[in-house]
mmCIF file of all heavy atoms in Angstrom:
data_model
loop_
_atom_site.group_PDB
_atom_site.id
_atom_site.type_symbol
_atom_site.label_atom_id
_atom_site.label_comp_id
_atom_site.label_asym_id
_atom_site.label_seq_id
_atom_site.Cartn_x
_atom_site.Cartn_y
_atom_site.Cartn_z
ATOM 1 N N MET A 274 16.261 11.982 -75.630
ATOM 2 C CA MET A 274 16.173 12.424 -74.244
ATOM 3 C C MET A 274 15.945 13.938 -74.161
ATOM 4 O O MET A 274 16.534 14.698 -74.910
ATOM 5 C CB MET A 274 17.473 12.095 -73.507
ATOM 6 C CG MET A 274 17.660 10.609 -73.285
ATOM 7 S SD MET A 274 16.524 9.939 -72.099
ATOM 8 C CE MET A 274 17.613 9.691 -70.701
ATOM 9 N N ALA A 275 15.113 14.306 -73.222
ATOM 10 C CA ALA A 275 14.890 15.729 -72.980
ATOM 11 C C ALA A 275 15.509 16.062 -71.625
ATOM 12 O O ALA A 275 15.835 15.164 -70.839
ATOM 13 C CB ALA A 275 13.411 16.035 -72.964
ATOM 14 N N LYS A 276 15.656 17.352 -71.372
ATOM 15 C CA LYS A 276 16.254 17.739 -70.101
ATOM 16 C C LYS A 276 15.203 18.406 -69.221
ATOM 17 O O LYS A 276 14.514 19.325 -69.648
ATOM 18 C CB LYS A 276 17.421 18.684 -70.355
ATOM 19 C CG LYS A 276 18.398 18.668 -69.210
ATOM 20 C CD LYS A 276 19.690 19.337 -69.625
ATOM 21 C CE LYS A 276 20.840 18.886 -68.736
ATOM 22 N NZ LYS A 276 22.080 19.574 -69.069
ATOM 23 N N ASP A 277 15.118 17.919 -68.029
ATOM 24 C CA ASP A 277 14.240 18.538 -67.038
ATOM 25 C C ASP A 277 14.836 19.907 -66.702
ATOM 26 O O ASP A 277 15.945 19.985 -66.191
ATOM 27 C CB ASP A 277 14.221 17.623 -65.800
ATOM 28 C CG ASP A 277 13.293 18.122 -64.722
ATOM 29 O OD1 ASP A 277 13.163 19.340 -64.570
ATOM 30 O OD2 ASP A 277 12.726 17.281 -64.024
ATOM 31 N N PRO A 278 14.131 20.982 -67.010
ATOM 32 C CA PRO A 278 14.703 22.317 -66.785
ATOM 33 C C PRO A 278 14.828 22.685 -65.310
ATOM 34 O O PRO A 278 15.557 23.615 -64.964
ATOM 35 C CB PRO A 278 13.720 23.258 -67.501
ATOM 36 C CG PRO A 278 12.434 22.512 -67.553
ATOM 37 C CD PRO A 278 12.784 21.061 -67.602
ATOM 38 N N VAL A 279 14.150 21.951 -64.459
ATOM 39 C CA VAL A 279 14.170 22.282 -63.035
ATOM 40 C C VAL A 279 15.378 21.650 -62.340
ATOM 41 O O VAL A 279 16.173 22.335 -61.709
ATOM 42 C CB VAL A 279 12.866 21.846 -62.343
ATOM 43 C CG1 VAL A 279 12.930 22.097 -60.857
ATOM 44 C CG2 VAL A 279 11.689 22.588 -62.963
ATOM 45 N N CYS A 280 15.537 20.355 -62.475
ATOM 46 C CA CYS A 280 16.626 19.675 -61.763
ATOM 47 C C CYS A 280 17.770 19.270 -62.688
ATOM 48 O O CYS A 280 18.750 18.715 -62.232
ATOM 49 C CB CYS A 280 16.084 18.468 -61.018
ATOM 50 S SG CYS A 280 15.503 17.184 -62.128
ATOM 51 N N LYS A 281 17.602 19.551 -64.009
ATOM 52 C CA LYS A 281 18.645 19.274 -65.013
ATOM 53 C C LYS A 281 18.893 17.798 -65.272
ATOM 54 O O LYS A 281 19.901 17.420 -65.832
ATOM 55 C CB LYS A 281 19.986 19.932 -64.616
ATOM 56 C CG LYS A 281 19.866 21.345 -64.146
ATOM 57 C CD LYS A 281 19.533 22.253 -65.304
ATOM 58 C CE LYS A 281 19.687 23.704 -64.881
ATOM 59 N NZ LYS A 281 18.609 24.546 -65.347
ATOM 60 N N MET A 282 17.954 16.981 -64.844
ATOM 61 C CA MET A 282 18.099 15.557 -65.113
ATOM 62 C C MET A 282 17.685 15.256 -66.545
ATOM 63 O O MET A 282 16.834 15.938 -67.103
ATOM 64 C CB MET A 282 17.160 14.781 -64.184
ATOM 65 C CG MET A 282 17.862 13.844 -63.235
ATOM 66 S SD MET A 282 16.655 13.043 -62.153
ATOM 67 C CE MET A 282 15.969 11.840 -63.277
ATOM 68 N N ASN A 283 18.266 14.219 -67.131
ATOM 69 C CA ASN A 283 17.804 13.783 -68.440
ATOM 70 C C ASN A 283 16.534 12.977 -68.264
ATOM 71 O O ASN A 283 16.465 12.100 -67.407
ATOM 72 C CB ASN A 283 18.872 12.932 -69.126
ATOM 73 C CG ASN A 283 20.010 13.783 -69.629
ATOM 74 O OD1 ASN A 283 19.793 14.895 -70.096
ATOM 75 N ND2 ASN A 283 21.212 13.282 -69.534
ATOM 76 N N VAL A 284 15.536 13.290 -69.086
ATOM 77 C CA VAL A 284 14.244 12.618 -68.968
ATOM 78 C C VAL A 284 13.848 12.031 -70.319
ATOM 79 O O VAL A 284 13.903 12.717 -71.335
ATOM 80 C CB VAL A 284 13.164 13.623 -68.517
ATOM 81 C CG1 VAL A 284 11.817 12.930 -68.380
ATOM 82 C CG2 VAL A 284 13.540 14.277 -67.205
ATOM 83 N N ASP A 285 13.481 10.777 -70.308
ATOM 84 C CA ASP A 285 12.988 10.141 -71.518
ATOM 85 C C ASP A 285 11.586 10.676 -71.796
ATOM 86 O O ASP A 285 10.706 10.583 -70.945
ATOM 87 C CB ASP A 285 12.947 8.619 -71.284
ATOM 88 C CG ASP A 285 12.617 7.869 -72.562
ATOM 89 O OD1 ASP A 285 11.956 8.446 -73.451
ATOM 90 O OD2 ASP A 285 13.017 6.700 -72.655
ATOM 91 N N GLU A 286 11.394 11.212 -72.982
ATOM 92 C CA GLU A 286 10.099 11.812 -73.321
ATOM 93 C C GLU A 286 8.934 10.845 -73.115
ATOM 94 O O GLU A 286 7.851 11.249 -72.726
ATOM 95 C CB GLU A 286 10.090 12.278 -74.782
ATOM 96 C CG GLU A 286 10.929 13.508 -75.027
ATOM 97 C CD GLU A 286 12.324 13.143 -75.526
ATOM 98 O OE1 GLU A 286 12.840 12.072 -75.137
ATOM 99 O OE2 GLU A 286 12.901 13.937 -76.292
ATOM 100 N N LYS A 287 9.173 9.592 -73.391
ATOM 101 C CA LYS A 287 8.094 8.602 -73.280
ATOM 102 C C LYS A 287 7.805 8.217 -71.839
ATOM 103 O O LYS A 287 6.777 7.641 -71.524
ATOM 104 C CB LYS A 287 8.471 7.341 -74.059
ATOM 105 C CG LYS A 287 8.475 7.572 -75.549
ATOM 106 C CD LYS A 287 9.148 6.392 -76.245
ATOM 107 C CE LYS A 287 9.579 6.798 -77.645
ATOM 108 N NZ LYS A 287 10.593 5.862 -78.169
ATOM 109 N N ARG A 288 8.766 8.469 -70.971
ATOM 110 C CA ARG A 288 8.586 8.052 -69.580
ATOM 111 C C ARG A 288 8.490 9.229 -68.624
ATOM 112 O O ARG A 288 8.564 9.056 -67.407
ATOM 113 C CB ARG A 288 9.772 7.177 -69.155
ATOM 114 C CG ARG A 288 9.821 5.894 -69.939
ATOM 115 C CD ARG A 288 11.046 5.110 -69.519
ATOM 116 N NE ARG A 288 10.856 3.679 -69.787
ATOM 117 C CZ ARG A 288 11.509 2.720 -69.150
ATOM 118 N NH1 ARG A 288 12.371 3.019 -68.221
ATOM 119 N NH2 ARG A 288 11.296 1.464 -69.426
ATOM 120 N N ALA A 289 8.383 10.414 -69.163
ATOM 121 C CA ALA A 289 8.335 11.593 -68.305
ATOM 122 C C ALA A 289 7.160 11.508 -67.336
ATOM 123 O O ALA A 289 6.060 11.115 -67.710
ATOM 124 C CB ALA A 289 8.216 12.847 -69.167
ATOM 125 N N ALA A 290 7.422 11.871 -66.097
ATOM 126 C CA ALA A 290 6.368 11.828 -65.076
ATOM 127 C C ALA A 290 5.359 12.932 -65.305
ATOM 128 O O ALA A 290 4.198 12.813 -64.948
ATOM 129 C CB ALA A 290 6.983 11.951 -63.687
ATOM 130 N N ALA A 291 5.824 14.013 -65.927
ATOM 131 C CA ALA A 291 4.936 15.140 -66.183
ATOM 132 C C ALA A 291 5.486 15.964 -67.337
ATOM 133 O O ALA A 291 6.686 15.965 -67.587
ATOM 134 C CB ALA A 291 4.811 16.001 -64.932
ATOM 135 N N THR A 292 4.600 16.623 -68.039
ATOM 136 C CA THR A 292 5.034 17.522 -69.103
ATOM 137 C C THR A 292 4.306 18.851 -68.949
ATOM 138 O O THR A 292 3.254 18.929 -68.322
ATOM 139 C CB THR A 292 4.720 16.962 -70.500
ATOM 140 O OG1 THR A 292 3.308 16.833 -70.632
ATOM 141 C CG2 THR A 292 5.387 15.631 -70.739
ATOM 142 N N SER A 293 4.894 19.862 -69.519
ATOM 143 C CA SER A 293 4.271 21.171 -69.455
ATOM 144 C C SER A 293 4.566 21.911 -70.751
ATOM 145 O O SER A 293 5.660 21.808 -71.295
ATOM 146 C CB SER A 293 4.820 21.936 -68.259
ATOM 147 O OG SER A 293 4.087 23.128 -68.070
ATOM 148 N N GLU A 294 3.587 22.631 -71.237
ATOM 149 C CA GLU A 294 3.823 23.410 -72.440
ATOM 150 C C GLU A 294 3.944 24.871 -72.065
ATOM 151 O O GLU A 294 3.145 25.402 -71.305
ATOM 152 C CB GLU A 294 2.670 23.205 -73.422
ATOM 153 C CG GLU A 294 3.176 22.763 -74.790
ATOM 154 C CD GLU A 294 2.050 22.514 -75.760
ATOM 155 O OE1 GLU A 294 1.493 23.499 -76.256
ATOM 156 O OE2 GLU A 294 1.723 21.333 -75.995
ATOM 157 N N TYR A 295 4.973 25.489 -72.614
ATOM 158 C CA TYR A 295 5.182 26.899 -72.319
ATOM 159 C C TYR A 295 5.691 27.588 -73.567
ATOM 160 O O TYR A 295 6.693 27.175 -74.142
ATOM 161 C CB TYR A 295 6.171 27.043 -71.162
ATOM 162 C CG TYR A 295 6.372 28.478 -70.734
ATOM 163 C CD1 TYR A 295 5.339 29.161 -70.090
ATOM 164 C CD2 TYR A 295 7.556 29.141 -71.000
ATOM 165 C CE1 TYR A 295 5.506 30.482 -69.725
ATOM 166 C CE2 TYR A 295 7.730 30.464 -70.625
ATOM 167 C CZ TYR A 295 6.701 31.121 -69.988
ATOM 168 O OH TYR A 295 6.866 32.441 -69.619
ATOM 169 N N LYS A 296 4.981 28.625 -74.000
ATOM 170 C CA LYS A 296 5.343 29.363 -75.206
ATOM 171 C C LYS A 296 5.573 28.441 -76.393
ATOM 172 O O LYS A 296 6.558 28.571 -77.129
ATOM 173 C CB LYS A 296 6.585 30.222 -74.937
ATOM 174 C CG LYS A 296 6.255 31.389 -74.013
ATOM 175 C CD LYS A 296 7.435 32.335 -73.888
ATOM 176 C CE LYS A 296 7.071 33.538 -73.026
ATOM 177 N NZ LYS A 296 8.224 34.410 -72.797
ATOM 178 N N GLY A 297 4.696 27.463 -76.540
ATOM 179 C CA GLY A 297 4.769 26.586 -77.704
ATOM 180 C C GLY A 297 5.802 25.487 -77.628
ATOM 181 O O GLY A 297 5.941 24.686 -78.535
ATOM 182 N N LYS A 298 6.509 25.417 -76.516
ATOM 183 C CA LYS A 298 7.512 24.375 -76.359
ATOM 184 C C LYS A 298 7.091 23.416 -75.252
ATOM 185 O O LYS A 298 6.518 23.838 -74.252
ATOM 186 C CB LYS A 298 8.858 25.017 -76.006
ATOM 187 C CG LYS A 298 10.014 24.167 -76.460
ATOM 188 C CD LYS A 298 11.344 24.808 -76.144
ATOM 189 C CE LYS A 298 12.435 23.754 -76.335
ATOM 190 N NZ LYS A 298 13.637 24.023 -75.598
ATOM 191 N N THR A 299 7.390 22.145 -75.454
ATOM 192 C CA THR A 299 7.035 21.168 -74.436
ATOM 193 C C THR A 299 8.249 20.854 -73.576
ATOM 194 O O THR A 299 9.342 20.611 -74.083
ATOM 195 C CB THR A 299 6.524 19.873 -75.089
ATOM 196 O OG1 THR A 299 5.466 20.198 -75.984
ATOM 197 C CG2 THR A 299 5.998 18.907 -74.036
ATOM 198 N N TYR A 300 8.032 20.854 -72.288
ATOM 199 C CA TYR A 300 9.100 20.541 -71.340
ATOM 200 C C TYR A 300 8.746 19.260 -70.606
ATOM 201 O O TYR A 300 7.585 19.002 -70.322
ATOM 202 C CB TYR A 300 9.274 21.692 -70.344
ATOM 203 C CG TYR A 300 9.749 22.954 -71.029
ATOM 204 C CD1 TYR A 300 8.838 23.873 -71.538
ATOM 205 C CD2 TYR A 300 11.114 23.194 -71.194
ATOM 206 C CE1 TYR A 300 9.274 25.023 -72.194
ATOM 207 C CE2 TYR A 300 11.559 24.336 -71.852
ATOM 208 C CZ TYR A 300 10.632 25.246 -72.341
ATOM 209 O OH TYR A 300 11.065 26.369 -72.998
ATOM 210 N N TYR A 301 9.760 18.484 -70.316
ATOM 211 C CA TYR A 301 9.558 17.185 -69.669
ATOM 212 C C TYR A 301 10.177 17.189 -68.280
ATOM 213 O O TYR A 301 11.253 17.754 -68.080
ATOM 214 C CB TYR A 301 10.188 16.079 -70.518
ATOM 215 C CG TYR A 301 9.558 15.989 -71.889
ATOM 216 C CD1 TYR A 301 10.000 16.794 -72.928
ATOM 217 C CD2 TYR A 301 8.502 15.115 -72.120
ATOM 218 C CE1 TYR A 301 9.410 16.733 -74.182
ATOM 219 C CE2 TYR A 301 7.907 15.038 -73.371
ATOM 220 C CZ TYR A 301 8.363 15.860 -74.394
ATOM 221 O OH TYR A 301 7.780 15.798 -75.624
ATOM 222 N N PHE A 302 9.485 16.502 -67.381
ATOM 223 C CA PHE A 302 9.938 16.527 -65.986
ATOM 224 C C PHE A 302 10.062 15.116 -65.421
ATOM 225 O O PHE A 302 9.284 14.234 -65.760
ATOM 226 C CB PHE A 302 8.959 17.342 -65.142
ATOM 227 C CG PHE A 302 8.776 18.729 -65.691
ATOM 228 C CD1 PHE A 302 7.733 19.006 -66.551
ATOM 229 C CD2 PHE A 302 9.677 19.728 -65.376
ATOM 230 C CE1 PHE A 302 7.579 20.279 -67.091
ATOM 231 C CE2 PHE A 302 9.538 21.006 -65.913
ATOM 232 C CZ PHE A 302 8.486 21.273 -66.767
ATOM 233 N N CYS A 303 11.019 14.952 -64.520
ATOM 234 C CA CYS A 303 11.263 13.646 -63.915
ATOM 235 C C CYS A 303 10.192 13.339 -62.879
ATOM 236 O O CYS A 303 9.938 12.189 -62.559
ATOM 237 C CB CYS A 303 12.640 13.625 -63.270
ATOM 238 S SG CYS A 303 12.783 14.736 -61.871
ATOM 239 N N ALA A 304 9.588 14.379 -62.330
ATOM 240 C CA ALA A 304 8.594 14.197 -61.286
ATOM 241 C C ALA A 304 7.602 15.353 -61.311
ATOM 242 O O ALA A 304 7.895 16.425 -61.839
ATOM 243 C CB ALA A 304 9.266 14.130 -59.921
ATOM 244 N N LYS A 305 6.464 15.117 -60.697
ATOM 245 C CA LYS A 305 5.435 16.144 -60.717
ATOM 246 C C LYS A 305 5.856 17.382 -59.934
ATOM 247 O O LYS A 305 5.455 18.487 -60.240
ATOM 248 C CB LYS A 305 4.128 15.575 -60.153
ATOM 249 C CG LYS A 305 2.924 16.370 -60.634
ATOM 250 C CD LYS A 305 1.618 15.763 -60.184
ATOM 251 C CE LYS A 305 0.479 16.710 -60.489
ATOM 252 N NZ LYS A 305 0.583 17.996 -59.735
ATOM 253 N N VAL A 306 6.680 17.169 -58.915
ATOM 254 C CA VAL A 306 7.135 18.325 -58.133
ATOM 255 C C VAL A 306 7.951 19.279 -58.996
ATOM 256 O O VAL A 306 7.914 20.490 -58.805
ATOM 257 C CB VAL A 306 7.956 17.903 -56.893
ATOM 258 C CG1 VAL A 306 7.052 17.300 -55.849
ATOM 259 C CG2 VAL A 306 9.073 16.965 -57.267
ATOM 260 N N CYS A 307 8.694 18.723 -59.952
ATOM 261 C CA CYS A 307 9.473 19.585 -60.840
ATOM 262 C C CYS A 307 8.541 20.380 -61.750
ATOM 263 O O CYS A 307 8.763 21.555 -62.004
ATOM 264 C CB CYS A 307 10.437 18.746 -61.672
ATOM 265 S SG CYS A 307 11.850 18.164 -60.732
ATOM 266 N N LYS A 308 7.511 19.738 -62.226
ATOM 267 C CA LYS A 308 6.538 20.442 -63.059
ATOM 268 C C LYS A 308 5.867 21.567 -62.275
ATOM 269 O O LYS A 308 5.684 22.666 -62.776
ATOM 270 C CB LYS A 308 5.483 19.462 -63.576
ATOM 271 C CG LYS A 308 4.378 20.142 -64.373
ATOM 272 C CD LYS A 308 3.250 19.166 -64.661
ATOM 273 C CE LYS A 308 1.932 19.875 -64.911
ATOM 274 N NZ LYS A 308 1.886 20.650 -66.145
ATOM 275 N N ASP A 309 5.518 21.280 -61.053
ATOM 276 C CA ASP A 309 4.859 22.289 -60.223
ATOM 277 C C ASP A 309 5.761 23.513 -60.035
ATOM 278 O O ASP A 309 5.321 24.645 -60.120
ATOM 279 C CB ASP A 309 4.491 21.709 -58.856
ATOM 280 C CG ASP A 309 3.332 20.722 -58.960
ATOM 281 O OD1 ASP A 309 2.631 20.749 -59.992
ATOM 282 O OD2 ASP A 309 3.136 19.938 -58.027
ATOM 283 N N LYS A 310 7.034 23.253 -59.803
ATOM 284 C CA LYS A 310 7.980 24.361 -59.644
ATOM 285 C C LYS A 310 8.080 25.158 -60.930
ATOM 286 O O LYS A 310 8.112 26.386 -60.919
ATOM 287 C CB LYS A 310 9.374 23.814 -59.289
ATOM 288 C CG LYS A 310 9.520 23.454 -57.845
ATOM 289 C CD LYS A 310 10.975 23.078 -57.577
ATOM 290 C CE LYS A 310 11.127 22.387 -56.245
ATOM 291 N NZ LYS A 310 12.490 21.868 -56.057
ATOM 292 N N PHE A 311 8.161 24.433 -62.024
ATOM 293 C CA PHE A 311 8.280 25.089 -63.327
ATOM 294 C C PHE A 311 7.042 25.928 -63.633
ATOM 295 O O PHE A 311 7.148 27.064 -64.086
ATOM 296 C CB PHE A 311 8.468 24.021 -64.411
ATOM 297 C CG PHE A 311 8.598 24.582 -65.797
ATOM 298 C CD1 PHE A 311 9.821 25.060 -66.260
ATOM 299 C CD2 PHE A 311 7.507 24.631 -66.646
ATOM 300 C CE1 PHE A 311 9.943 25.583 -67.542
ATOM 301 C CE2 PHE A 311 7.619 25.149 -67.940
ATOM 302 C CZ PHE A 311 8.842 25.625 -68.383
ATOM 303 N N ASP A 312 5.880 25.364 -63.388
ATOM 304 C CA ASP A 312 4.635 26.071 -63.692
ATOM 305 C C ASP A 312 4.483 27.366 -62.892
ATOM 306 O O ASP A 312 3.861 28.311 -63.335
ATOM 307 C CB ASP A 312 3.433 25.153 -63.435
ATOM 308 C CG ASP A 312 3.266 24.110 -64.532
ATOM 309 O OD1 ASP A 312 3.887 24.278 -65.606
ATOM 310 O OD2 ASP A 312 2.523 23.144 -64.323
ATOM 311 N N LYS A 313 5.064 27.387 -61.728
ATOM 312 C CA LYS A 313 4.974 28.590 -60.899
ATOM 313 C C LYS A 313 5.818 29.723 -61.457
ATOM 314 O O LYS A 313 5.401 30.874 -61.496
ATOM 315 C CB LYS A 313 5.439 28.277 -59.464
ATOM 316 C CG LYS A 313 4.319 27.719 -58.613
ATOM 317 C CD LYS A 313 4.818 27.491 -57.186
ATOM 318 C CE LYS A 313 3.869 26.566 -56.430
ATOM 319 N NZ LYS A 313 4.469 26.076 -55.188
ATOM 320 N N GLU A 314 7.042 29.381 -61.870
ATOM 321 C CA GLU A 314 7.951 30.407 -62.390
ATOM 322 C C GLU A 314 8.743 29.878 -63.580
ATOM 323 O O GLU A 314 9.946 29.643 -63.472
ATOM 324 C CB GLU A 314 8.958 30.801 -61.306
ATOM 325 C CG GLU A 314 8.339 31.325 -60.038
ATOM 326 C CD GLU A 314 9.398 31.578 -58.986
ATOM 327 O OE1 GLU A 314 9.781 30.624 -58.298
ATOM 328 O OE2 GLU A 314 9.870 32.713 -58.885
ATOM 329 N N PRO A 315 8.069 29.668 -64.694
ATOM 330 C CA PRO A 315 8.762 29.083 -65.858
ATOM 331 C C PRO A 315 9.964 29.895 -66.325
ATOM 332 O O PRO A 315 10.990 29.329 -66.675
ATOM 333 C CB PRO A 315 7.675 29.016 -66.941
ATOM 334 C CG PRO A 315 6.535 29.845 -66.455
ATOM 335 C CD PRO A 315 6.646 29.916 -64.972
ATOM 336 N N GLU A 316 9.846 31.197 -66.283
ATOM 337 C CA GLU A 316 10.944 32.053 -66.763
ATOM 338 C C GLU A 316 12.235 31.835 -65.973
ATOM 339 O O GLU A 316 13.323 31.912 -66.509
ATOM 340 C CB GLU A 316 10.543 33.535 -66.663
ATOM 341 C CG GLU A 316 9.362 33.910 -67.541
ATOM 342 C CD GLU A 316 9.720 33.920 -69.029
ATOM 343 O OE1 GLU A 316 10.930 33.964 -69.348
ATOM 344 O OE2 GLU A 316 8.800 33.891 -69.851
ATOM 345 N N LYS A 317 12.042 31.562 -64.723
ATOM 346 C CA LYS A 317 13.195 31.367 -63.848
ATOM 347 C C LYS A 317 14.069 30.212 -64.335
ATOM 348 O O LYS A 317 15.285 30.261 -64.267
ATOM 349 C CB LYS A 317 12.680 31.079 -62.440
ATOM 350 C CG LYS A 317 13.756 30.985 -61.386
ATOM 351 C CD LYS A 317 13.128 30.701 -60.044
ATOM 352 C CE LYS A 317 14.139 30.101 -59.091
ATOM 353 N NZ LYS A 317 13.516 29.665 -57.844
ATOM 354 N N PHE A 318 13.411 29.169 -64.820
ATOM 355 C CA PHE A 318 14.158 27.982 -65.245
ATOM 356 C C PHE A 318 14.619 28.063 -66.689
ATOM 357 O O PHE A 318 15.666 27.536 -67.046
ATOM 358 C CB PHE A 318 13.303 26.741 -65.012
ATOM 359 C CG PHE A 318 12.960 26.542 -63.572
ATOM 360 C CD1 PHE A 318 11.695 26.835 -63.101
ATOM 361 C CD2 PHE A 318 13.914 26.084 -62.681
ATOM 362 C CE1 PHE A 318 11.384 26.680 -61.755
ATOM 363 C CE2 PHE A 318 13.617 25.930 -61.336
ATOM 364 C CZ PHE A 318 12.341 26.229 -60.870
ATOM 365 N N ILE A 319 13.844 28.734 -67.507
ATOM 366 C CA ILE A 319 14.214 28.838 -68.917
ATOM 367 C C ILE A 319 15.374 29.796 -69.110
ATOM 368 O O ILE A 319 16.258 29.563 -69.909
ATOM 369 C CB ILE A 319 12.994 29.297 -69.741
ATOM 370 C CG1 ILE A 319 11.947 28.185 -69.770
ATOM 371 C CG2 ILE A 319 13.415 29.657 -71.162
ATOM 372 C CD1 ILE A 319 10.618 28.649 -70.296
ATOM 373 N N ASN A 320 15.358 30.879 -68.375
ATOM 374 C CA ASN A 320 16.374 31.909 -68.570
ATOM 375 C C ASN A 320 17.665 31.641 -67.816
ATOM 376 O O ASN A 320 18.624 32.380 -67.943
ATOM 377 C CB ASN A 320 15.824 33.281 -68.141
ATOM 378 C CG ASN A 320 14.724 33.732 -69.089
ATOM 379 O OD1 ASN A 320 14.698 33.351 -70.246
ATOM 380 N ND2 ASN A 320 13.808 34.533 -68.586
ATOM 381 N N LYS A 321 17.655 30.583 -67.050
ATOM 382 C CA LYS A 321 18.845 30.281 -66.274
ATOM 383 C C LYS A 321 20.049 30.040 -67.170
ATOM 384 O O LYS A 321 19.959 29.344 -68.175
ATOM 385 C CB LYS A 321 18.596 29.032 -65.418
ATOM 386 C CG LYS A 321 18.801 29.320 -63.956
ATOM 387 C CD LYS A 321 18.529 28.083 -63.147
ATOM 388 C CE LYS A 321 18.739 28.377 -61.677
ATOM 389 N NZ LYS A 321 18.489 27.209 -60.853
ATOM 390 N N LYS A 322 21.169 30.566 -66.795
ATOM 391 C CA LYS A 322 22.361 30.378 -67.593
ATOM 392 C C LYS A 322 22.886 28.955 -67.433
ATOM 393 O O LYS A 322 22.781 28.355 -66.375
ATOM 394 C CB LYS A 322 23.434 31.377 -67.147
ATOM 395 C CG LYS A 322 23.028 32.825 -67.361
ATOM 396 C CD LYS A 322 23.495 33.318 -68.733
ATOM 397 C CE LYS A 322 22.692 34.508 -69.217
ATOM 398 N NZ LYS A 322 22.933 35.699 -68.444
ATOM 399 N N LYS A 323 23.490 28.460 -68.496
ATOM 400 C CA LYS A 323 23.988 27.090 -68.484
ATOM 401 C C LYS A 323 25.147 26.899 -67.511
ATOM 402 O O LYS A 323 25.390 25.821 -67.005
ATOM 403 C CB LYS A 323 24.486 26.694 -69.873
ATOM 404 C CG LYS A 323 23.378 26.554 -70.882
ATOM 405 C CD LYS A 323 23.974 26.235 -72.242
ATOM 406 C CE LYS A 323 22.938 26.290 -73.339
ATOM 407 N NZ LYS A 323 23.585 26.150 -74.661
ATOM 408 N N SER A 324 25.885 27.950 -67.313
ATOM 409 C CA SER A 324 27.130 27.869 -66.564
ATOM 410 C C SER A 324 26.980 27.266 -65.163
ATOM 411 O O SER A 324 27.903 26.667 -64.636
ATOM 412 C CB SER A 324 27.750 29.246 -66.443
ATOM 413 O OG SER A 324 26.856 30.121 -65.796
ATOM 414 N N GLU A 325 25.788 27.413 -64.601
ATOM 415 C CA GLU A 325 25.629 27.020 -63.211
ATOM 416 C C GLU A 325 25.947 25.553 -62.897
ATOM 417 O O GLU A 325 26.799 25.261 -62.092
ATOM 418 C CB GLU A 325 24.205 27.313 -62.772
ATOM 419 C CG GLU A 325 24.200 28.040 -61.431
ATOM 420 C CD GLU A 325 22.805 28.487 -61.064
ATOM 421 O OE1 GLU A 325 22.125 29.065 -61.934
ATOM 422 O OE2 GLU A 325 22.402 28.221 -59.942
ATOM 423 N N ARG A 326 25.211 24.673 -63.558
ATOM 424 C CA ARG A 326 25.433 23.248 -63.282
ATOM 425 C C ARG A 326 25.540 22.462 -64.578
ATOM 426 O O ARG A 326 24.669 21.658 -64.896
ATOM 427 C CB ARG A 326 24.264 22.686 -62.479
ATOM 428 C CG ARG A 326 24.432 22.848 -60.989
ATOM 429 C CD ARG A 326 23.395 21.981 -60.294
ATOM 430 N NE ARG A 326 23.107 22.489 -58.949
ATOM 431 C CZ ARG A 326 22.197 21.952 -58.140
ATOM 432 N NH1 ARG A 326 21.492 20.926 -58.554
ATOM 433 N NH2 ARG A 326 21.978 22.442 -56.953
ATOM 434 N N SER A 327 26.561 22.694 -65.302
ATOM 435 C CA SER A 327 26.705 21.949 -66.541
ATOM 436 C C SER A 327 27.210 20.540 -66.239
ATOM 437 O O SER A 327 27.762 20.287 -65.165
ATOM 438 C CB SER A 327 27.662 22.663 -67.492
ATOM 439 O OG SER A 327 28.883 22.891 -66.847
ATOM 440 N N LEU A 328 27.021 19.646 -67.180
ATOM 441 C CA LEU A 328 27.411 18.268 -66.949
ATOM 442 C C LEU A 328 28.937 18.180 -66.892
ATOM 443 O O LEU A 328 29.492 17.393 -66.202
ATOM 444 C CB LEU A 328 26.880 17.385 -68.090
ATOM 445 C CG LEU A 328 25.384 17.463 -68.290
ATOM 446 C CD1 LEU A 328 25.027 16.781 -69.603
ATOM 447 C CD2 LEU A 328 24.654 16.769 -67.149
HETATM 448 ZN ZN1 ZN B 528 13.212 16.943 -62.091
#
C-alpha cells in the first residue's frame, strides 16, 4: 500500500486512480483531484510534517 500524500489515505498501487512522478519518486492518489492538487504544489504535500494527521 502507498499513501496518498494529499488526503493521507492508503492507496493500493495497482488500483490507484492516478499517479504522479516527482523528483524520481512515484506518488499514488485515490482520485484525480488529489493528483491535480499535488501537481500544483508538490512541495506543500511532501514537506508536510507527519504530526498533523497521523493515524
Ligand atoms: Zn486522495
Side-chain angles (χ1 to χ4, degrees):
M274 290 290 254
K276 203 166 202 183
D277 183 326
V279 176
C280 67
K281 315 289 191 223
M282 242 178 76
N283 286 323
V284 180
D285 188 334
E286 288 96 328
K287 291 168 199 162
R288 296 177 156 204
T292 63
S293 188
E294 234 178 76
Y295 184 70
K296 289 187 177 175
K298 207 179 167 203
T299 306
Y300 295 90
Y301 299 85
F302 304 94
C303 66
K305 202 175 171 296
V306 288
C307 285
K308 176 189 156 68
D309 288 343
K310 280 186 194 173
F311 180 83
D312 284 345
K313 274 183 197 167
E314 302 175 277
E316 297 289 343
K317 186 180 159 187
F318 299 104
I319 291 168
N320 292 333
K321 238 179 180 180
K322 297 268 158 69
K323 291 177 189 173
S324 59
E325 228 173 313
R326 272 193 204 177
S327 55
L328 303 169

